Amino acid sequence: MNASEAATTGFRQEPTHAASSIVELLDVMWDHARNATAGTAAPGSTSQLRLMYVIDGEEGVRMRVVCHRLSSAPPTVTRMCDRLQAIGFLERLPCPDNGREITLRLTPAGREHLQRIRAQRDTMLHQAIENMTPGERGALAQGLAGLRAQLDPSAAPGDRLRATAGRNSAA
């Protein structure tokens, strides 16, 4: 590999390393937010919180869909659901069109718990972003929109095109 190829490879890897570093910092912040809002009945693991996010995103989601989205085996998800149901954050209901399947729904207490965590984490992010310059905030917004368009399979094709166009015009 010549110097030019090495520089190009390094340039392409730099955003990946930066994003990875930010994800690690955000993981710590989210864990802090979860612990800061935790009562004695709060979920004890990040996995349980992820489960709650999936269920919150789709009212009445089927258990098998949750297993797929979390890339977890059904017994693992069942145990997490047992814990969340025991503390009053989750309901399991029969699937309306298939009696052999279970659908999952957060209870009002579960939704309230997620809201407290999200508020804590939003406060932390808001403080950090407020300390950035307007140019940095604009670049962050554009970069995050592009990243989301690439990572989110449900993003509309137009979102992906806009993110790509924005990236190309910035070059």
Side-chain angles (χ1 to χ4, degrees), residues 45-163:
S45 74
T46 303
S47 297
Q48 289 171 339
L49 189 57
R50 251 185 236 120
L51 172 65
M52 290 179 70
Y53 286 140
V54 169
I55 295 168
D56 187 49
E58 185 179 340
E59 180 75 21
V61 65
R62 295 171 193 246
M63 175 81 87
R64 67 179 163 79
V65 172
V66 172
C67 292
H68 176 73
R69 290 198 183 139
L70 294 175
S71 299
S72 294
T76 302
V77 174
T78 297
R79 283 190 299 274
M80 287 190 289
C81 288
D82 290 344
R83 171 78 172 120
L84 291 171
Q85 189 171 17
I87 60 176
F89 284 176
L90 175 79
E91 289 181 299
R92 290 185 238 203
L93 305 164
C95 183
D97 61 350
N98 183 342
R100 295 182 305 177
E101 288 193 83
I102 299 293
T103 59
L104 304 171
R105 183 172 69 190
L106 292 180
T107 63
R111 289 189 195 286
E112 184 180 310
H113 179 69
L114 279 184
Q115 181 56 39
R116 283 191 309 267
I117 290 172
R118 286 174 172 144
Q120 176 73 24
R121 144 188 117 175
D122 286 355
T123 298
M124 296 165 97
L125 278 174
H126 180 75
Q127 290 170 348
I129 292 170
E130 276 296 307
N131 290 329
M132 297 170 69
T133 67
E136 290 170 331
R137 286 193 296 269
L140 176 64
Q142 183 178 354
L144 290 175
L147 182 60
R148 179 176 183 181
Q150 298 305 314
L151 293 176
D152 186 355
S154 67
D159 293 342
R160 291 177 190 257
L161 291 173
R162 280 189 291 281

